[in-house]
mmCIF file of all heavy atoms in Angstrom:
data_model
loop_
_atom_site.group_PDB
_atom_site.id
_atom_site.type_symbol
_atom_site.label_atom_id
_atom_site.label_comp_id
_atom_site.label_asym_id
_atom_site.label_seq_id
_atom_site.Cartn_x
_atom_site.Cartn_y
_atom_site.Cartn_z
ATOM 1 N N ALA A 1 -34.802 -4.538 -11.270
ATOM 2 C CA ALA A 1 -33.409 -4.343 -11.091
ATOM 3 C C ALA A 1 -33.043 -3.388 -9.897
ATOM 4 O O ALA A 1 -31.951 -3.435 -9.377
ATOM 5 C CB ALA A 1 -32.728 -3.746 -12.349
ATOM 6 N N ARG A 2 -34.020 -2.565 -9.492
ATOM 7 C CA ARG A 2 -33.725 -1.559 -8.493
ATOM 8 C C ARG A 2 -33.208 -2.099 -7.161
ATOM 9 O O ARG A 2 -32.209 -1.559 -6.678
ATOM 10 C CB ARG A 2 -35.012 -0.755 -8.219
ATOM 11 C CG ARG A 2 -35.498 0.125 -9.357
ATOM 12 C CD ARG A 2 -34.594 1.200 -9.676
ATOM 13 N NE ARG A 2 -35.132 2.073 -10.764
ATOM 14 C CZ ARG A 2 -34.504 3.072 -11.342
ATOM 15 N NH1 ARG A 2 -33.264 3.362 -10.977
ATOM 16 N NH2 ARG A 2 -35.117 3.847 -12.251
ATOM 17 N N PRO A 3 -33.840 -3.077 -6.566
ATOM 18 C CA PRO A 3 -33.263 -3.596 -5.252
ATOM 19 C C PRO A 3 -31.871 -4.011 -5.430
ATOM 20 O O PRO A 3 -30.950 -3.800 -4.539
ATOM 21 C CB PRO A 3 -34.277 -4.720 -4.907
ATOM 22 C CG PRO A 3 -35.490 -4.462 -5.671
ATOM 23 C CD PRO A 3 -35.076 -3.817 -6.949
ATOM 24 N N LEU A 4 -31.561 -4.810 -6.418
ATOM 25 C CA LEU A 4 -30.164 -5.306 -6.629
ATOM 26 C C LEU A 4 -29.202 -4.123 -6.876
ATOM 27 O O LEU A 4 -28.070 -4.172 -6.416
ATOM 28 C CB LEU A 4 -30.124 -6.215 -7.830
ATOM 29 C CG LEU A 4 -28.720 -6.922 -8.118
ATOM 30 C CD1 LEU A 4 -28.222 -7.673 -6.916
ATOM 31 C CD2 LEU A 4 -28.875 -7.828 -9.302
ATOM 32 N N SER A 5 -29.605 -3.162 -7.574
ATOM 33 C CA SER A 5 -28.720 -2.009 -7.904
ATOM 34 C C SER A 5 -28.391 -1.214 -6.569
ATOM 35 O O SER A 5 -27.272 -0.800 -6.453
ATOM 36 C CB SER A 5 -29.347 -1.031 -8.889
ATOM 37 O OG SER A 5 -30.470 -0.321 -8.284
ATOM 38 N N GLY A 6 -29.356 -1.183 -5.667
ATOM 39 C CA GLY A 6 -29.037 -0.575 -4.460
ATOM 40 C C GLY A 6 -27.993 -1.395 -3.561
ATOM 41 O O GLY A 6 -27.095 -0.759 -3.015
ATOM 42 N N ARG A 7 -28.185 -2.671 -3.514
ATOM 43 C CA ARG A 7 -27.251 -3.500 -2.772
ATOM 44 C C ARG A 7 -25.819 -3.451 -3.452
ATOM 45 O O ARG A 7 -24.783 -3.373 -2.688
ATOM 46 C CB ARG A 7 -27.774 -4.912 -2.725
ATOM 47 C CG ARG A 7 -28.972 -5.152 -1.778
ATOM 48 C CD ARG A 7 -28.999 -6.515 -1.209
ATOM 49 N NE ARG A 7 -29.886 -6.576 -0.174
ATOM 50 C CZ ARG A 7 -30.001 -7.588 0.700
ATOM 51 N NH1 ARG A 7 -29.134 -8.643 0.574
ATOM 52 N NH2 ARG A 7 -30.910 -7.666 1.715
ATOM 53 N N LEU A 8 -25.791 -3.473 -4.760
ATOM 54 C CA LEU A 8 -24.514 -3.365 -5.382
ATOM 55 C C LEU A 8 -23.768 -2.124 -5.207
ATOM 56 O O LEU A 8 -22.627 -1.983 -5.075
ATOM 57 C CB LEU A 8 -24.683 -3.709 -6.860
ATOM 58 C CG LEU A 8 -25.001 -5.115 -7.257
ATOM 59 C CD1 LEU A 8 -25.212 -5.306 -8.721
ATOM 60 C CD2 LEU A 8 -23.763 -6.057 -6.885
ATOM 61 N N SER A 9 -24.560 -0.991 -5.182
ATOM 62 C CA SER A 9 -23.983 0.297 -4.944
ATOM 63 C C SER A 9 -23.412 0.405 -3.501
ATOM 64 O O SER A 9 -22.268 0.927 -3.334
ATOM 65 C CB SER A 9 -25.032 1.446 -5.143
ATOM 66 O OG SER A 9 -25.498 1.446 -6.438
ATOM 67 N N ASP A 10 -24.109 -0.161 -2.577
ATOM 68 C CA ASP A 10 -23.598 -0.127 -1.177
ATOM 69 C C ASP A 10 -22.346 -0.975 -1.045
ATOM 70 O O ASP A 10 -21.417 -0.714 -0.285
ATOM 71 C CB ASP A 10 -24.687 -0.695 -0.226
ATOM 72 C CG ASP A 10 -25.764 0.387 0.001
ATOM 73 O OD1 ASP A 10 -25.428 1.563 0.136
ATOM 74 O OD2 ASP A 10 -26.957 -0.021 0.157
ATOM 75 N N SER A 11 -22.273 -2.166 -1.786
ATOM 76 C CA SER A 11 -21.221 -3.090 -1.603
ATOM 77 C C SER A 11 -20.036 -2.803 -2.566
ATOM 78 O O SER A 11 -18.856 -3.070 -2.200
ATOM 79 C CB SER A 11 -21.651 -4.515 -1.748
ATOM 80 O OG SER A 11 -22.236 -4.732 -2.963
ATOM 81 N N LYS A 12 -20.361 -2.478 -3.809
ATOM 82 C CA LYS A 12 -19.274 -2.346 -4.922
ATOM 83 C C LYS A 12 -19.068 -0.904 -5.221
ATOM 84 O O LYS A 12 -18.015 -0.680 -5.887
ATOM 85 C CB LYS A 12 -19.761 -3.137 -6.114
ATOM 86 C CG LYS A 12 -19.981 -4.608 -5.875
ATOM 87 C CD LYS A 12 -18.650 -5.327 -5.563
ATOM 88 C CE LYS A 12 -18.890 -6.856 -5.539
ATOM 89 N NZ LYS A 12 -17.632 -7.648 -5.275
ATOM 90 N N GLY A 13 -19.950 0.025 -4.941
ATOM 91 C CA GLY A 13 -19.780 1.395 -5.341
ATOM 92 C C GLY A 13 -20.625 1.795 -6.516
ATOM 93 O O GLY A 13 -21.145 0.929 -7.248
ATOM 94 N N GLY A 14 -20.731 3.110 -6.682
ATOM 95 C CA GLY A 14 -21.595 3.655 -7.751
ATOM 96 C C GLY A 14 -21.046 3.329 -9.113
ATOM 97 O O GLY A 14 -21.862 3.022 -10.044
ATOM 98 N N LYS A 15 -19.777 3.378 -9.328
ATOM 99 C CA LYS A 15 -19.202 3.146 -10.692
ATOM 100 C C LYS A 15 -19.563 1.697 -11.173
ATOM 101 O O LYS A 15 -19.911 1.545 -12.319
ATOM 102 C CB LYS A 15 -17.633 3.277 -10.652
ATOM 103 C CG LYS A 15 -17.196 4.687 -10.822
ATOM 104 C CD LYS A 15 -15.674 4.765 -10.945
ATOM 105 C CE LYS A 15 -15.153 4.082 -12.368
ATOM 106 N NZ LYS A 15 -13.756 4.275 -12.460
ATOM 107 N N PHE A 16 -19.483 0.756 -10.306
ATOM 108 C CA PHE A 16 -19.751 -0.647 -10.692
ATOM 109 C C PHE A 16 -21.242 -0.794 -11.179
ATOM 110 O O PHE A 16 -21.502 -1.375 -12.183
ATOM 111 C CB PHE A 16 -19.554 -1.505 -9.474
ATOM 112 C CG PHE A 16 -19.761 -3.030 -9.771
ATOM 113 C CD1 PHE A 16 -18.729 -3.767 -10.331
ATOM 114 C CD2 PHE A 16 -20.946 -3.669 -9.476
ATOM 115 C CE1 PHE A 16 -18.932 -5.170 -10.591
ATOM 116 C CE2 PHE A 16 -21.130 -4.968 -9.715
ATOM 117 C CZ PHE A 16 -20.151 -5.685 -10.268
ATOM 118 N N THR A 17 -22.158 -0.113 -10.441
ATOM 119 C CA THR A 17 -23.517 -0.156 -10.815
ATOM 120 C C THR A 17 -23.773 0.590 -12.157
ATOM 121 O O THR A 17 -24.568 0.108 -13.000
ATOM 122 C CB THR A 17 -24.419 0.433 -9.715
ATOM 123 O OG1 THR A 17 -24.007 -0.089 -8.417
ATOM 124 C CG2 THR A 17 -25.876 0.215 -9.992
ATOM 125 N N ILE A 18 -23.079 1.711 -12.325
ATOM 126 C CA ILE A 18 -23.261 2.419 -13.598
ATOM 127 C C ILE A 18 -22.713 1.569 -14.814
ATOM 128 O O ILE A 18 -23.346 1.478 -15.879
ATOM 129 C CB ILE A 18 -22.352 3.727 -13.580
ATOM 130 C CG1 ILE A 18 -22.958 4.687 -12.556
ATOM 131 C CG2 ILE A 18 -22.324 4.397 -14.932
ATOM 132 C CD1 ILE A 18 -22.079 5.954 -12.205
ATOM 133 N N TYR A 19 -21.602 0.830 -14.533
ATOM 134 C CA TYR A 19 -21.082 0.049 -15.640
ATOM 135 C C TYR A 19 -22.060 -1.046 -16.107
ATOM 136 O O TYR A 19 -22.177 -1.250 -17.255
ATOM 137 C CB TYR A 19 -19.787 -0.680 -15.123
ATOM 138 C CG TYR A 19 -18.564 0.179 -15.146
ATOM 139 C CD1 TYR A 19 -17.564 0.045 -14.174
ATOM 140 C CD2 TYR A 19 -18.274 1.106 -16.158
ATOM 141 C CE1 TYR A 19 -16.427 0.810 -14.119
ATOM 142 C CE2 TYR A 19 -17.144 1.841 -16.156
ATOM 143 C CZ TYR A 19 -16.223 1.755 -15.127
ATOM 144 O OH TYR A 19 -15.078 2.493 -15.127
ATOM 145 N N ILE A 20 -22.744 -1.558 -15.109
ATOM 146 C CA ILE A 20 -23.759 -2.659 -15.572
ATOM 147 C C ILE A 20 -24.809 -1.995 -16.473
ATOM 148 O O ILE A 20 -25.118 -2.604 -17.500
ATOM 149 C CB ILE A 20 -24.413 -3.254 -14.300
ATOM 150 C CG1 ILE A 20 -23.366 -4.035 -13.461
ATOM 151 C CG2 ILE A 20 -25.549 -4.157 -14.639
ATOM 152 C CD1 ILE A 20 -23.937 -4.553 -12.164
ATOM 153 N N GLY A 21 -25.372 -0.904 -16.036
ATOM 154 C CA GLY A 21 -26.375 -0.226 -16.826
ATOM 155 C C GLY A 21 -25.954 0.132 -18.205
ATOM 156 O O GLY A 21 -26.592 -0.081 -19.197
ATOM 157 N N LEU A 22 -24.657 0.690 -18.340
ATOM 158 C CA LEU A 22 -24.077 1.077 -19.607
ATOM 159 C C LEU A 22 -23.821 -0.095 -20.477
ATOM 160 O O LEU A 22 -24.071 -0.024 -21.720
ATOM 161 C CB LEU A 22 -22.901 1.937 -19.329
ATOM 162 C CG LEU A 22 -23.082 3.308 -18.632
ATOM 163 C CD1 LEU A 22 -21.684 3.963 -18.472
ATOM 164 C CD2 LEU A 22 -24.000 4.191 -19.466
ATOM 165 N N CYS A 23 -23.313 -1.194 -19.995
ATOM 166 C CA CYS A 23 -23.078 -2.379 -20.757
ATOM 167 C C CYS A 23 -24.367 -2.972 -21.393
ATOM 168 O O CYS A 23 -24.454 -3.394 -22.490
ATOM 169 C CB CYS A 23 -22.373 -3.444 -19.862
ATOM 170 S SG CYS A 23 -20.632 -3.068 -19.547
ATOM 171 N N VAL A 24 -25.464 -2.918 -20.522
ATOM 172 C CA VAL A 24 -26.805 -3.443 -20.991
ATOM 173 C C VAL A 24 -27.306 -2.494 -22.181
ATOM 174 O O VAL A 24 -27.628 -3.026 -23.234
ATOM 175 C CB VAL A 24 -27.767 -3.453 -19.899
ATOM 176 C CG1 VAL A 24 -29.218 -3.667 -20.476
ATOM 177 C CG2 VAL A 24 -27.437 -4.507 -18.761
ATOM 178 N N THR A 25 -27.208 -1.192 -21.974
ATOM 179 C CA THR A 25 -27.733 -0.361 -23.073
ATOM 180 C C THR A 25 -26.914 -0.446 -24.370
ATOM 181 O O THR A 25 -27.415 -0.422 -25.412
ATOM 182 C CB THR A 25 -27.904 1.048 -22.595
ATOM 183 O OG1 THR A 25 -28.751 1.792 -23.506
ATOM 184 C CG2 THR A 25 -26.544 1.843 -22.592
ATOM 185 N N LEU A 26 -25.580 -0.583 -24.164
ATOM 186 C CA LEU A 26 -24.704 -0.758 -25.392
ATOM 187 C C LEU A 26 -25.072 -2.031 -26.152
ATOM 188 O O LEU A 26 -25.180 -2.072 -27.357
ATOM 189 C CB LEU A 26 -23.327 -0.782 -24.875
ATOM 190 C CG LEU A 26 -22.222 -1.060 -25.980
ATOM 191 C CD1 LEU A 26 -22.273 0.000 -27.090
ATOM 192 C CD2 LEU A 26 -20.838 -1.005 -25.337
ATOM 193 N N LEU A 27 -25.137 -3.191 -25.379
ATOM 194 C CA LEU A 27 -25.351 -4.488 -25.915
ATOM 195 C C LEU A 27 -26.700 -4.582 -26.617
ATOM 196 O O LEU A 27 -26.867 -4.997 -27.783
ATOM 197 C CB LEU A 27 -25.233 -5.535 -24.894
ATOM 198 C CG LEU A 27 -25.478 -7.025 -25.394
ATOM 199 C CD1 LEU A 27 -24.429 -7.439 -26.490
ATOM 200 C CD2 LEU A 27 -25.413 -7.946 -24.203
ATOM 201 N N VAL A 28 -27.724 -4.129 -25.899
ATOM 202 C CA VAL A 28 -29.109 -4.240 -26.506
ATOM 203 C C VAL A 28 -29.288 -3.447 -27.715
ATOM 204 O O VAL A 28 -29.986 -3.768 -28.655
ATOM 205 C CB VAL A 28 -30.161 -3.941 -25.365
ATOM 206 C CG1 VAL A 28 -31.633 -3.906 -25.950
ATOM 207 C CG2 VAL A 28 -30.106 -4.968 -24.285
ATOM 208 N N ASN A 29 -28.744 -2.177 -27.676
ATOM 209 C CA ASN A 29 -28.895 -1.292 -28.839
ATOM 210 C C ASN A 29 -28.129 -1.983 -30.053
ATOM 211 O O ASN A 29 -28.686 -1.800 -31.162
ATOM 212 C CB ASN A 29 -28.240 0.117 -28.603
ATOM 213 C CG ASN A 29 -29.218 0.996 -27.954
ATOM 214 O OD1 ASN A 29 -30.368 1.217 -28.457
ATOM 215 N ND2 ASN A 29 -28.892 1.700 -26.851
ATOM 216 N N LEU A 30 -27.147 -2.685 -29.877
ATOM 217 C CA LEU A 30 -26.467 -3.373 -30.883
ATOM 218 C C LEU A 30 -27.286 -4.517 -31.470
ATOM 219 O O LEU A 30 -27.155 -4.847 -32.637
ATOM 220 C CB LEU A 30 -24.987 -3.804 -30.520
ATOM 221 C CG LEU A 30 -24.021 -2.666 -30.346
ATOM 222 C CD1 LEU A 30 -22.721 -3.268 -29.770
ATOM 223 C CD2 LEU A 30 -23.702 -1.975 -31.631
ATOM 224 N N LEU A 31 -28.072 -5.118 -30.606
ATOM 225 C CA LEU A 31 -28.844 -6.336 -30.970
ATOM 226 C C LEU A 31 -30.111 -6.007 -31.702
ATOM 227 O O LEU A 31 -30.634 -6.775 -32.536
ATOM 228 C CB LEU A 31 -29.121 -7.130 -29.708
ATOM 229 C CG LEU A 31 -27.972 -7.936 -29.120
ATOM 230 C CD1 LEU A 31 -28.408 -8.605 -27.812
ATOM 231 C CD2 LEU A 31 -27.414 -8.932 -30.070
ATOM 232 N N TYR A 32 -30.727 -4.842 -31.401
ATOM 233 C CA TYR A 32 -32.006 -4.470 -32.025
ATOM 234 C C TYR A 32 -32.059 -4.716 -33.570
ATOM 235 O O TYR A 32 -33.051 -5.260 -34.064
ATOM 236 C CB TYR A 32 -32.352 -3.031 -31.716
ATOM 237 C CG TYR A 32 -33.030 -2.772 -30.356
ATOM 238 C CD1 TYR A 32 -32.442 -1.898 -29.426
ATOM 239 C CD2 TYR A 32 -34.239 -3.369 -30.027
ATOM 240 C CE1 TYR A 32 -33.090 -1.607 -28.208
ATOM 241 C CE2 TYR A 32 -34.812 -3.118 -28.797
ATOM 242 C CZ TYR A 32 -34.257 -2.272 -27.907
ATOM 243 O OH TYR A 32 -34.876 -1.971 -26.691
#
């Protein structure tokens, strides 16, 4: 995920990249 996160941060901003990571951890924790 690291290369894509870098490109997204450059193009969409840091908040957008943070949102992706937070949505993943929220969803996966609920699925466990």
Side-chain angles (χ1 to χ4, degrees):
R2 293 294 187 186
L4 180 58
S5 71
R7 288 210 167 190
L8 287 175
S9 294
D10 285 321
S11 61
K12 301 289 186 180
K15 275 187 68 175
F16 183 83
T17 311
I18 293 170
Y19 281 144
I20 295 175
L22 294 179
C23 287
V24 171
T25 199
L26 174 59
L27 178 62
V28 173
N29 273 312
L30 288 174
L31 288 175
Y32 276 123

